[in-house]
Amino acid sequence: MIHAPLSTIWKLQTDVERWPSWQPPVSTIERLDHGPLRQGSSFHWTTPIPPNPETSASSLDITSTVKQLKYGACIRWTGPAIGEGLRIDGVHVWNFTKVRGGVRVTTEETHTGPQVEANVPAATEILSQGLKSWLTDLKTTAEAAN
């Protein structure tokens, strides 16, 4: 639950080039097209990953492509995340629902790849921590903007 206008939350989430200003784990980001984020838009970004027994990679190099975008309601992107000896193919979905007092934001993500499948519980925990952090950063930033 985020106690902020949907327009504020949506702008934060879809202005991907500004993610590093409110999401410490996003090291770099570059839009690969211009204009508002839309279906077909792509962006390239990097983020560190916590130590993992399945890989020696310390960061991920990600190219995401927006596959679905419904203004103010949902965003879905896909793309590979590549690190040293690591490849993860992911699908990330965000949903935004106006409710009394603010906006309910939910997110879910799926990962596939040899390293993920080698230790599903560890991969699930790492992904869960990342999603919780992202939601917390989005909530903190959106609520502070009001």
Side-chain angles (χ1 to χ4, degrees), residues 1-2 13 22-25 92-94 105-109 111 121 123-141:
M1 177 67 172
I2 301 178
Q13 188 65 14
W22 60 271
Q23 280 192 81
H92 200 156
V93 178
W94 289 86
V105 179
T106 61
T107 186
E108 57 188 282
E109 189 167 1
H111 283 173
T124 301
E125 181 57 30
I126 290 167
L127 177 57
S128 178
Q129 289 173 11
L131 294 177
K132 286 176 185 173
S133 175
W134 195 328
L135 284 166
T136 298
D137 290 341
L138 181 60
K139 176 180 175 67
T140 300
T141 305

Side-chain angles (χ1 to χ4, degrees), residues 4-137:
L6 176 59
S7 60
T8 299
I9 299 164
W10 185 259
K11 182 171 173 51
L12 284 168
Q13 188 65 14
T14 60
D15 189 357
V16 299
E17 290 174 302
R18 296 186 55 96
W19 283 358
S21 72
W22 60 271
Q23 280 192 81
V26 177
S27 306
T28 65
I29 193 157
E30 176 188 10
R31 275 288 298 274
L32 302 177
D33 61 323
H34 301 285
L37 198 68
R38 62 194 175 282
Q39 186 173 337
S41 290
S42 293
F43 48 99
H44 179 253
W45 52 300
T46 57
T47 187
I49 58 172
N52 180 334
E54 304 304 322
T55 180
S56 60
S58 60
S59 67
L60 290 175
D61 189 9
I62 306 164
T63 301
S64 298
T65 301
V66 177
K67 297 296 184 176
Q68 179 183 15
L69 187 143
K70 182 176 179 185
Y71 182 83
C74 72
I75 308 167
R76 177 175 54 93
W77 63 73
T78 64
I82 299 169
E84 185 180 327
L86 172 67
R87 180 185 171 105
I88 299 169
D89 289 297
V91 178
H92 200 156
V93 178
W94 289 86
N95 289 295
F96 306 83
T97 307
K98 281 185 172 183
V99 294
R100 176 174 282 159
V103 178
R104 184 171 60 94
V105 179
T106 61
T107 186
E108 57 188 282
E109 189 167 1
T110 59
H111 283 173
T112 59
Q115 293 83 7
V116 170
E117 292 157 18
N119 191 341
V120 172
T124 301
E125 181 57 30
I126 290 167
L127 177 57
S128 178
Q129 289 173 11
L131 294 177
K132 286 176 185 173
S133 175
W134 195 328
L135 284 166
T136 298
D137 290 341

